[in-house]
């Protein structure tokens, strides 16, 4: 039997649907999904099986114009993920078309896409008419030579099977790189932190966009089969602590309850989750916090 395996980098602007597509391909929630931009900070790899091929998805942060150290490190991680991949898939939102951001990505693709197949996936096709899709596909293919073009809805699943089949057939021949039952190479501590951060992002909306991070400080396996997980939410200002706590601590209680329930579902067992909030004014400038997020602090140097 000939097996295939390799890395697939999903790239695109923030909110293009990369995390949703990873989760749809893998069939499990490994990548944080929110309606806020720039929520994926780490190159989370989801692993999917397609016939005799093992597809390893590199879910890169969205590509955007970086302003701060964290932004620069995220963008460097995204392009690094693409440069290391066997196949690159560019996701473009059907209803937004060729934005300034997509133009910038296409320019960079001329370099990064060299020597590897690059597919185009036009996402959220349910939002536009067929003629708009065809015109957008033509405009993008005139701009860059894509190996294949797919019309998909990552959220609803349209066209995703065709894309997965093509990826499985296009990956290089070789042995599988992960055990069959492994869906993500992120340590569970980081996945747990991402789940809590997702709940924070959903709950707080615009109030604290990127001024917080979550770390799993300890993970203890208990004799009864449950796990005790201790996490810290780092905020950069005293005032932010109050926002996360909420009136009489109600906000943080609701966030940790939602995170605990999702963790229990994900792990298939009981979880005791303890969350505290700490003010750390300069966390955005600490190398250690970047390592926790799987980013390189030096990539943020201006």
């Amino acid at each position: 039997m000939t097996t295939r395996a390799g890395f697939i980098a999903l790239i695109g602007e923030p909110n293009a649907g990369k995390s949703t597509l990873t989760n749809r391909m893998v069939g499990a929630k490994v990548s944080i999904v929110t309606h806020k931009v720039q929520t994926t900070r780490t190159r989370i790899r989801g692993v999917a099986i397609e016939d005799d091929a093992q597809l390893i998805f590199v879910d890169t942060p969205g590509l955007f114009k970086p302003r701060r150290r964290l932004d620069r490190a995220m963008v460097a991680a995204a392009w690094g993920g693409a440069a290391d991949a066997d196949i690159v898939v560019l996701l473009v939102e059907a209803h937004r078309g060729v934005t300034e951001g997509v133009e910038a990505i296409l320019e960079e693709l001329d370099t990064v896409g060299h020597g590897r197949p690059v597919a185009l996936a036009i996402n959220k096709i349910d939002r536009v008419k067929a003629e708009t899709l065809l015109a957008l596909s033509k405009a993008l293919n005139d701009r860059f030579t894509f190996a294949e073009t797919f019309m998909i809805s990552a959220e609803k699943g349209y066209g995703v099977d065709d894309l997965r089949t093509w990826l499985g057939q296009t990956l290089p021949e070789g042995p599988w790189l992960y055990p069959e039952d492994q869906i993500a190479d992120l340590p569970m501590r980081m996945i747990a932190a991402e789940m809590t951060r997702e709940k924070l992002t959903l709950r707080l909306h615009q109030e604290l966009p990127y001024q917080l991070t979550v770390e799993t400080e300890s993970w203890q396996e208990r004799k009864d089969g449950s796990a005790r997980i201790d996490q810290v939410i780092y905020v950069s200002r005293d005032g932010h602590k109050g926002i996360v706590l909420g009136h009489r601590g109600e906000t943080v209680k609701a966030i940790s309850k939602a995170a605990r329930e999702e963790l229990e579902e994900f792990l298939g067992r009981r979880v005791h989750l303890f969350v505290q909030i700490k003010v750390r004014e300069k966390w955005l400038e600490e190398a250690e916090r970047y390592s926790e997020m799987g980013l390189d602090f030096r990539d943020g140097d201006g």
Side-chain angles (χ1 to χ4, degrees):
M1 181 177 94
T2 306
T3 56
R4 294 175 181 273
F7 293 91
I8 299 151
L10 305 176
I11 64 167
E13 287 189 285
N15 262 7
K18 299 174 295 295
S19 299
T20 307
L21 183 59
T22 300
N23 294 335
R24 171 73 63 178
M25 290 277 189
V26 174
K29 185 165 182 177
V30 291
S31 192
I32 179 172
V33 179
T34 71
H35 298 301
K36 291 192 64 60
V37 297
Q38 299 166 36
T39 46
T40 302
R41 292 176 179 169
T42 326
R43 279 176 269 173
I44 297 175
R45 296 169 177 86
V47 182
I49 308 299
E50 177 64 29
D51 289 334
D52 301 328
Q54 190 177 60
L55 286 55
I56 302 151
F57 290 95
V58 186
D59 181 25
T60 59
L63 290 161
F64 56 98
K65 215 170 190 166
R67 292 195 181 87
R68 305 161 306 167
R69 175 181 282 278
L70 178 61
D71 297 346
R72 289 191 291 272
M74 284 163 69
V75 168
W79 282 121
D84 295 341
D86 297 290
I87 301 174
V88 174
V89 180
L90 170 63
L91 261 82
V92 173
E93 291 177 279
H95 59 293
R96 292 187 66 214
V98 186
T99 60
E100 199 181 315
V102 170
E103 280 287 359
I105 292 169
L106 288 167
E107 276 173 37
E108 196 79 22
L109 261 186
D110 289 332
T111 311
V112 176
H114 194 65
R116 56 179 61 81
V118 181
L120 170 64
I122 298 177
N123 190 22
K124 307 181 186 180
I125 55 168
D126 45 318
R127 297 196 186 185
V128 297
K129 293 196 167 100
E131 52 267 32
T132 308
L133 280 175
L134 294 171
L136 176 57
S137 171
K138 184 180 184 310
L140 286 160
N141 277 280
D142 285 349
R143 179 68 186 71
F144 184 88
T145 312
F146 291 101
E148 283 289 338
T149 298
F150 297 90
M151 307 286 185
I152 67 166
S153 166
E155 193 179 0
K156 298 196 164 70
Y158 310 143
V160 174
D161 289 346
D162 292 341
L163 173 57
R164 187 167 46 215
T165 301
W166 178 81
L167 291 168
Q169 291 165 352
T170 310
L171 281 172
E173 290 184 9
W176 284 8
L177 304 168
Y178 286 93
E180 198 169 342
D181 60 353
Q182 193 164 343
I183 58 165
D185 80 340
L186 264 192
M188 276 312 306
R189 291 165 73 115
M190 207 185 271
I191 290 178
E194 282 293 276
M195 285 182 177
T196 302
R197 194 165 66 83
E198 176 188 44
K199 302 302 173 221
L200 278 160
T201 308
L202 288 170
R203 177 85 188 211
L204 299 171
H205 304 300
Q206 302 302 324
E207 291 181 85
L208 285 183
Y210 316 112
Q211 302 295 324
L212 52 82
T213 189
V214 180
E215 284 177 23
T216 303
E217 274 205 326
S218 73
W219 183 303
Q220 295 168 311
E221 295 293 341
R222 292 185 161 183
K223 285 180 183 157
D224 63 2
S226 67
R228 177 192 165 117
I229 302 168
D230 289 88
Q231 292 182 335
V232 178
I233 299 167
Y234 285 112
V235 293
S236 49
R237 289 199 200 109
D238 253 335
H240 294 170
K241 191 174 179 179
I243 295 171
V244 177
L245 270 170
H247 181 60
R248 293 183 180 168
E250 280 167 17
T251 303
V252 78
K253 267 186 211 152
I255 287 161
S256 55
K257 181 175 181 278
R260 176 182 56 75
E261 285 169 357
E262 188 165 322
L263 268 165
E264 287 183 332
E265 194 183 330
F266 189 80
L267 295 168
R269 58 198 173 106
R270 278 196 74 196
V271 168
H272 309 276
L273 179 63
F274 297 89
V275 177
Q276 47 179 320
I277 308 158
K278 290 185 182 174
V279 179
R280 203 157 185 148
E281 285 180 22
K282 299 275 196 249
W283 79 260
L284 278 164
E285 295 300 325
E286 289 175 25
E288 201 184 319
R289 306 279 84 80
Y290 284 68
S291 303
E292 278 284 333
M293 292 187 273
L295 298 172
D296 190 330
F297 183 70
R298 289 163 305 185
D299 283 342
D301 292 339

